Amino acid sequence: MACPQRRPVLQETLEHHLYPLVSLYDYLYRHDVVENNVAARVLDELMNQPNRTPPKQKYRRITTEEVEKLLRTTRPPHLKTAFAVLALTGTRCGEMQRLRTSPQFFNLEERWLEVPYIPKQKRVGESRLWMTDELIGWLETYMPWREKRVKK
């Protein structure tokens, strides 16, 4: 008799828990503690099952046409510029919110902006973002609008 409270385990869950075991057995195999990586074989069998459903896509990438339509139809200049910065630099939303227009973080003539550093940030490597001609165009129309509206 099967346990009535037992739910079937999702394939994604099995894969999620098997990957660390594969890494552990790989380490043990390289250091001659075990004869072979049994976890890798189990994972391989799981991945090659004939009735395996393909993993669901967690998100859909936005297309260039969708970005252009978003920029064309958005009316407020601050939102339009924010969308352009996100699309043309690849910044995350949190990074874009930290962007500043002070000279140490923003230089329109030299065509760069810098993401201010915070501890435990996701961005690794270069924090200076180089602007494209298209982004320069968006910022040249946005900056005068911003100067009129932002209190200093």
Side-chain angles (χ1 to χ4, degrees):
M1 177 187 236
C3 178
Q5 295 175 345
R6 181 158 191 242
R7 296 181 311 197
V9 178
L10 292 174
Q11 194 152 4
E12 293 174 6
T13 306
L14 285 173
E15 292 172 20
H16 174 77
H17 290 289
L18 272 174
Y19 283 120
L21 286 174
V22 170
S23 295
L24 171 67
Y25 272 92
D26 188 45
Y27 173 83
L28 294 173
Y29 175 73
R30 283 183 287 145
H31 289 79
D32 295 324
V33 176
V34 295
E35 291 181 22
N36 57 26
N37 189 342
V38 291
R41 281 191 282 145
V42 171
L43 181 64
D44 198 38
E45 285 177 21
L46 179 70
M47 299 297 263
N48 293 324
Q49 285 181 350
N51 60 350
R52 181 176 187 272
T53 57
K56 288 187 254 176
Q57 216 175 6
K58 295 194 188 313
Y59 60 89
R60 183 181 67 80
R61 294 178 193 255
I62 190 167
T63 65
T64 306
E65 292 80 23
E66 290 170 326
V67 171
E68 289 171 354
K69 183 178 179 184
L70 178 67
L71 294 174
R72 219 177 25 253
T73 57
T74 303
R75 291 288 166 236
H78 63 286
L79 289 179
K80 192 177 281 206
T81 305
F83 295 148
V85 168
L86 287 169
L88 297 171
T89 62
T91 58
R92 297 174 180 89
C93 290
E95 293 171 340
M96 194 223 28
Q97 291 171 345
R98 292 195 324 258
L99 293 177
R100 301 289 174 254
T101 57
S102 58
Q104 70 186 45
F105 296 113
F106 178 78
N107 190 324
L108 199 55
E109 290 79 36
E110 293 181 15
R111 307 168 66 106
W112 57 264
L113 35 96
E114 182 130 358
V115 178
Y117 175 80
I118 60 167
K120 297 183 181 179
Q121 68 182 10
K122 289 183 180 180
R123 178 172 290 279
V124 292
E126 185 68 38
S127 62
R128 184 166 284 186
L129 307 171
W130 299 98
M131 295 186 259
T132 62
D133 292 334
E134 190 176 0
L135 184 56
I136 293 286
W138 288 108
L139 289 169
E140 284 173 345
T141 57
Y142 167 71
M143 292 309 287
W145 178 90
R146 183 183 188 282
E147 291 298 321
K148 292 178 192 171
R149 286 166 180 76
V150 174
K151 295 177 185 176
K152 293 185 178 185

